[in-house]
């Protein structure tokens, strides 16, 4: 394909081998008057505002230019050095995604430190593990609540200093606000000394320890060097940057504005929504939370954002909820969604389809695009598999959806759909400079149904692939073919643990984590992910988790959308109880959900179809430890929580109610 040859040959001043702080310095120096960050007021009691950065109006955004951001980073860097940070020291950042997270990251890296990640929702025991395992000598926390979690376990740690982003009332010599660190640095900053700190960094020095989110077992610290991350920025820029052949296709460049809301503790947001945009001189705006996305989208009017699949489902649910204000609006909305699917499925839409699409655009799609700010050029999706139907739906409404795949160990982006030819249902071809292969031996005998070729474990190699796990040489060796990291062998591949198919066109299709592939007692292999994704645009269903390993048939735990069920019940003349648990036990509700499950089953082979299910009244959440911070299911935890319900399915074996067996 011509675009693949062009991206490999693409040359640009940003495509360099340099450390991360040097990339930021160059980018900030080139556009000092342009907007770097947008941050919202009325959420945090920022110690930096108004003394260091302007106070943002409540509910609105203030801006920081690259020149102002650069000066703030300089002073924070000198301040961190002043309180004892030395080159190679690990510093934890324990906060939600916000402007100060980015400033602390850049400053720690410029000071020669290694940033280690702590998710904002971490418990005291998790904080102890993450800071203790990494040997952190300092930590930057968000507020007083997170500070207390650190205090609970500080006797087991070796912290020399603690920094708080917000204002706190703590009388300790080793605890500083971020503003105090800034002021210390402002008094001590020396340009020549600062440059020497950056110059002393080597391209192969450790830049960050990113702890995996831990869907199973304890998180592992992934060691990523400046080379790993910087090479992945180059690889991503070749695909998404402003190549001359792009024409009017969406790109990431200095004119882009990205809305950031995913955890910066996760390498997906940190690379694609932080390192990359600041490296190219784009603007990054910080959303208040995933729950305020609609409001923040309209205020910021971004050109793009990095998403996980669950967010697309939330956006769709929000659109449908607005349309539910009246029966007429809802009918028009549902008709327009059908038109979007039809339009995108058709290679060459005929005049009738084009006319319907123009009408649907006038009545529905245009308002949806305006509701998302009116400037969205592309929406990236990663951190999980996006339902093909949801992707086609958004594409049919005029959005460019670029789904990709990555691993923390690969810094993280491995594959991504190009704007030139996005293909829903795939995770795209590998980025330039990344090689992929598959190991077919990991798939149980019998293979997977519906694959275009042999499925196998994805193997990856390239400069973006990590050097190993922190203090875990055995696990490092097991993660690679042909020996441990650093042996220099050309045949050494990283084992991702994910089962994919490499299609004849070079695009990859993700199936499932190898460990999560289910083998029924009949010997049939089942990937739960595609089945669960098939419910993504079903209005009555909130979440689904498929079970069935070593059982006779596939079953599921189904979390219904109670609000949508009540609207259906009102239209159908069904009287539902107030209690969500009682709603799940209602016979009419059960029968209606059976219809939805049967419709989804029709798209799968007989052994992949859901034979029975149980309705669960509570949503799987991060607070209940059933989802990771990036909204992936913690399957083992869910199975343990609902072990009784699962056992009841197989005890009764009532498959005929759904699959018609």
């Amino acid at each position: 394909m011509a675009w693949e040859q062009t991206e490999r040959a693409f040359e640009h001043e940003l495509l360099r081998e340099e450390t991360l702080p040097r990339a930021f310095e160059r980018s900030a120096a080139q556009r000092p008057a342009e907007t770097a960050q947008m941050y919202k007021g009325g959420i945090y009691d920022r110690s930096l505002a108004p003394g260091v950065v302007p106070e943002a109006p409540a509910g609105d955004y203030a801006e920081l230019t690259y020149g102002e951001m650069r000066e703030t980073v300089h002073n924070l860097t000198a301040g961190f050095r002043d309180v004892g940070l030395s080159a190679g020291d690990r510093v934890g950042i324990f906060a939600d995604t916000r402007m100060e997270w980015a400033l602390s990251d850049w400053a720690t890296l410029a000071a020669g430190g290694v940033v280690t990640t702590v998710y904002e929702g971490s418990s005291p025991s998790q904080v102890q593990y993450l800071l203790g395992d990494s040997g952190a000598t300092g930590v930057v926390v968000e507020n007083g609540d997170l500070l207390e979690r650190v205090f609970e376990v500080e006797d087991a740690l070796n912290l020399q200093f603690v920094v708080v982003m917000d204002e706190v009332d703590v009388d300790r010599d080793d605890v500083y606000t971020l503003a105090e660190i800034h002021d210390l640095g402002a008094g001590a900053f020396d340009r020549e000394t600062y440059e020497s700190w950056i110059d002393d960094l080597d391209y192969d020095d450790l830049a960050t320890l990113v702890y995996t989110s831990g869907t199973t077992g304890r998180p592992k610290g992934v060691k990523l060097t400046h080379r790993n991350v910087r090479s992945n920025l180059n690889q991503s820029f070749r695909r998404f940057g402003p190549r001359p052949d792009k024409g009017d296709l969406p790109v990431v460049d200095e004119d882009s504005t990205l809305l950031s809301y995913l955890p910066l503790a996760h390498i997906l947001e940190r690379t694609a929504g932080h390192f990359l945009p600041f490296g190219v001189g784009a603007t990054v705006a910080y959303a208040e939370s995933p729950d305020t996305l609609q409001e923040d989208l309209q205020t910021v009017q971004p050109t793009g954002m990095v998403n996980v699949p669950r967010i697309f489902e939330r956006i769709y649910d929000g659109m449908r909820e607005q349309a539910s204000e009246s029966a007429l609006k809802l009918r028009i909305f549902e008709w327009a969604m059908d038109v979007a699917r039809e339009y995108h499925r058709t290679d060459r839409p005929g005049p009738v389809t084009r006319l319907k699409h123009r009408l649907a655009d006038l009545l529905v799609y245009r308002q949806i695009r305006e509701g998302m700010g009116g400037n969205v050029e592309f929406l990236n999706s990663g951190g999980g598999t996006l339902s093909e139907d949801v992707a086609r739906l958004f594409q049919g409404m005029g959005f460019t959806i670029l789904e990709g795949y990555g691993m923390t160990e690969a810094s993280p982006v491995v594959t991504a759909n190009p704007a030139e030819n996005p293909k829903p249902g795939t995770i795209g071809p590998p980025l330039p400079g990344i090689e992929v292969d598959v190991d077919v031996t990991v798939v149980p005998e019998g293979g997977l149904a519906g694959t275009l070729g042999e499925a196998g474990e994805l193997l990856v190699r390239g400069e973006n692939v990590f050097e190993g796990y922190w203090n875990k040489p055995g696990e490092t060796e097991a993660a690679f073919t042909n020996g441990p990291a650093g042996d220099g062998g050309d045949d050494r591949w990283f084992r991702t643990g994910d089962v994919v198919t490499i299609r004849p066109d070079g695009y990859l299709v993700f199936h499932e984590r190898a460990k999560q592939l289910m083998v029924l007692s009949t010997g049939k292999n089942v990937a739960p992910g595609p089945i669960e994704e098939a419910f993504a645009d079903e209005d009555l269903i909130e979440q689904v988790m498929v079970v069935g390993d070593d059982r006779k048939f596939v079953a599921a735990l189904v979390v219904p959308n109670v609000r949508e069920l009540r609207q259906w019940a009102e239209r159908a003349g069904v009287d539902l109880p107030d209690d969500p648990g009682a709603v799940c036990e209602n016979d009419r509700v059960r029968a209606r959900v059976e219809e939805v499950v049967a419709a989804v089953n029709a798209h799968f082979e007989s052994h992949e179809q859901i034979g029975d299910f149980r309705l669960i009244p509570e949503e799987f959440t991060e607070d209940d430890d059933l989802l990771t911070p990036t909204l992936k299911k913690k399957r083992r935890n869910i199975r343990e929580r609902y072990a009784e319900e699962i056992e009841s399915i197989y005890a009764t074996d009532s498959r005929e109610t759904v699959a018609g067996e």
Side-chain angles (χ1 to χ4, degrees):
M1 289 176 276
W3 62 265
E4 288 183 305
Q5 297 171 354
T6 306
E7 73 174 11
R8 284 195 295 268
F10 181 43
E11 294 185 2
H12 194 282
E13 63 169 347
L14 297 183
L15 296 170
R16 301 182 180 211
E17 291 189 356
E18 61 188 355
T19 62
L20 296 169
R22 183 57 67 198
F24 172 74
E25 278 294 308
R26 179 178 40 74
S27 179
Q30 288 176 345
R31 48 190 63 82
E34 301 301 322
T35 302
Q37 294 180 298
M38 297 174 63
Y39 53 97
K40 198 172 184 180
I43 312 169
Y44 309 113
D45 187 17
R46 305 179 191 274
S47 65
L48 288 181
V52 179
V53 302
E55 190 82 55
D60 204 350
Y61 283 81
E63 299 178 355
L64 210 61
T65 66
Y66 268 96
E68 293 165 334
M69 182 183 179
R70 183 190 189 200
E71 182 180 2
T72 304
V73 168
H74 286 177
N75 292 335
L76 289 174
T77 303
F80 281 131
R81 279 282 188 157
D82 195 66
V83 297
L85 173 60
S86 299
D89 287 351
R90 274 78 65 201
V91 175
I93 301 183
F94 181 21
D96 206 354
T97 295
R98 52 188 284 188
M99 175 256 289
E100 289 90 346
W101 208 113
L103 296 174
S104 300
D105 190 22
W106 287 117
T108 301
L109 292 170
V114 176
V115 173
T116 186
T117 56
V118 185
Y119 284 100
E120 184 266 343
S122 298
S123 66
S125 63
Q126 290 169 328
V127 172
Q128 178 180 331
Y129 172 74
L130 294 171
L131 295 179
D133 184 71
S134 63
T137 58
V139 60
V140 181
V141 304
E142 182 165 12
N143 52 37
D145 290 341
L146 302 194
L147 181 63
E148 286 301 322
R149 291 186 215 171
V150 173
F151 284 166
E152 281 187 49
V153 297
E154 65 175 331
D155 288 345
L157 303 174
N158 187 33
L159 298 176
Q160 297 175 20
F161 64 87
V162 180
V163 179
V164 190
M165 295 176 181
D166 287 347
E167 289 286 357
V168 291
D169 185 16
V170 178
D171 186 18
R172 280 180 41 167
D173 291 340
D174 60 344
V175 178
Y176 308 83
T177 66
L178 199 60
E180 288 172 333
I181 294 292
H182 175 275
D183 293 345
L184 285 171
F189 180 77
D190 175 75
R191 180 72 199 194
E192 187 175 338
T193 303
Y194 176 84
E195 288 291 333
S196 72
W197 294 333
I198 296 180
D199 288 341
D200 286 343
L201 286 171
D202 188 82
Y203 198 42
D204 288 310
D205 281 347
L206 187 62
T208 187
L209 283 176
V210 180
Y211 279 82
T212 57
S213 53
T215 53
T216 59
R218 274 194 154 179
K220 298 188 289 288
V222 177
K223 298 192 294 184
L224 297 178
T225 64
H226 291 268
R227 178 187 295 277
N228 294 147
V229 179
R230 188 66 180 88
S231 65
N232 200 230
L233 298 185
N234 288 343
Q235 293 156 350
S236 300
F237 189 69
R238 287 185 181 278
R239 180 144 301 171
F240 300 119
R243 300 196 317 266
D245 62 302
K246 286 276 190 177
D248 294 332
L249 292 173
V251 298
V252 178
D253 61 10
E254 65 271 14
D255 296 323
S256 300
T257 298
L258 304 183
L259 187 65
S260 176
Y261 69 92
L262 293 177
L264 278 166
H266 191 279
I267 193 62
L268 172 62
E269 183 66 22
R270 193 141 158 248
T271 294
H274 172 70
F275 288 134
L276 179 61
F278 286 127
V280 304
T283 299
V284 178
Y286 301 93
E288 180 176 343
S289 78
D291 296 329
T292 64
L293 272 183
Q294 187 171 6
E295 171 191 325
D296 295 329
L297 280 163
Q298 293 183 40
T299 304
V300 173
Q301 300 181 347
T303 59
M305 56 195 289
V306 181
N307 303 273
V308 291
R310 183 79 176 124
I311 296 301
F312 285 96
E313 297 164 21
R314 287 184 179 178
I315 292 172
Y316 174 78
D317 289 342
M319 295 186 305
R320 194 177 191 282
E321 184 177 1
Q322 286 187 338
S324 300
E325 294 172 358
S326 74
L328 177 60
K329 281 186 177 180
L330 184 58
R331 283 199 297 272
I332 293 173
F333 175 82
E334 290 176 339
W335 168 80
M337 296 302 103
D338 288 339
V339 171
R341 294 185 183 98
E342 178 187 356
Y343 186 81
H344 191 267
R345 272 197 306 266
T346 308
D347 290 335
R348 295 181 179 178
V352 175
T353 301
R354 292 199 302 272
L355 178 61
K356 288 193 296 183
H357 191 265
R358 284 197 294 270
L359 181 58
D361 187 75
L362 181 65
L363 295 175
V364 179
Y365 310 153
R366 190 174 302 175
Q367 284 83 347
I368 291 173
R369 292 195 297 272
E370 289 301 319
M372 295 181 68
N375 291 327
V376 172
E377 298 174 354
F378 67 94
L379 296 167
N380 289 111
S381 180
T385 307
L386 179 64
S387 159
E388 180 176 350
D389 191 62
V390 169
R392 291 185 183 279
L393 181 65
F394 276 84
Q395 296 268 50
M397 289 191 290
F399 293 99
T400 299
I401 307 295
L402 303 178
E403 186 177 2
Y405 163 90
M407 293 281 291
T408 302
E409 291 88 343
S411 305
V413 188
V414 175
T415 70
N417 269 276
E420 290 85 347
N421 192 17
K423 298 184 180 182
T426 79
I427 51 177
L431 298 185
I434 297 177
E435 295 179 84
V436 298
D437 201 352
V438 291
D439 177 2
V440 299
T441 65
V442 303
V443 179
E445 188 176 350
L448 291 174
T451 58
L452 296 174
E454 287 186 303
E457 180 185 11
L458 176 63
L459 306 177
V460 179
R461 65 183 176 192
E463 281 194 314
N464 56 307
V465 175
F466 79 139
E467 63 177 43
Y469 296 111
W470 181 257
N471 292 334
K472 287 181 168 51
E475 294 195 35
T476 297
E477 183 171 354
F480 289 88
T481 64
N482 288 341
D487 70 351
D490 291 338
D491 294 332
R492 186 173 150 269
W493 297 82
F494 168 60
R495 293 186 170 276
T496 64
D498 288 324
V499 176
V500 305
T501 297
I502 302 178
R503 303 191 330 177
D505 61 5
Y507 284 61
L508 275 66
V509 176
F510 177 87
H511 297 295
E512 191 56 85
R513 290 289 293 167
K515 292 181 180 179
Q516 290 169 2
L517 279 178
M518 301 188 308
V519 182
L520 305 183
S521 60
T522 61
K524 294 288 188 178
N525 302 313
V526 177
I531 304 171
E532 294 165 358
E533 292 151 21
F535 288 89
D537 65 338
E538 293 291 346
D539 305 324
L540 298 180
I541 307 300
E542 189 69 30
Q543 293 167 309
V544 173
M545 194 187 90
V546 167
V547 297
D549 199 33
D550 205 28
R551 306 280 195 167
K552 289 188 294 182
F553 62 91
V554 173
L557 300 172
V558 178
V559 181
N561 185 322
V562 176
R563 177 183 54 77
E564 289 287 344
L565 275 176
R566 293 195 186 282
Q567 292 182 1
W568 159 80
E570 185 177 346
R571 294 192 299 271
V574 177
D575 186 24
L576 292 184
D578 294 332
D579 177 55
V583 170
C584 290
E585 295 172 1
N586 183 277
D587 290 339
R588 291 288 299 275
V589 167
R590 167 83 189 189
R592 180 68 186 92
V593 174
E594 283 175 359
E595 293 175 2
V596 175
V597 173
V600 169
N601 276 346
H603 299 287
F604 292 92
E605 300 289 333
S606 59
H607 68 276
E608 298 174 306
Q609 294 178 359
I610 295 172
D612 197 3
F613 63 89
R614 290 292 179 270
L615 291 173
I616 306 298
E618 300 92 10
E619 188 175 348
F620 309 144
T621 69
E622 184 184 351
D623 291 339
D624 291 337
D625 201 28
L626 301 181
L627 296 181
T628 71
T630 51
L631 307 183
K632 294 177 183 175
K633 297 182 188 76
K634 291 189 174 182
R635 294 180 181 273
R636 182 175 62 185
N637 292 9
I638 295 172
R639 285 195 297 268
E640 290 175 355
R641 176 77 60 88
Y642 296 105
E644 232 178 85
E645 288 81 356
I646 294 170
E647 287 305 317
S648 73
I649 293 175
Y650 293 102
T652 57
D653 192 356
S654 54
R655 282 174 287 169
E656 69 280 359
T657 62
V658 176
E661 294 187 357

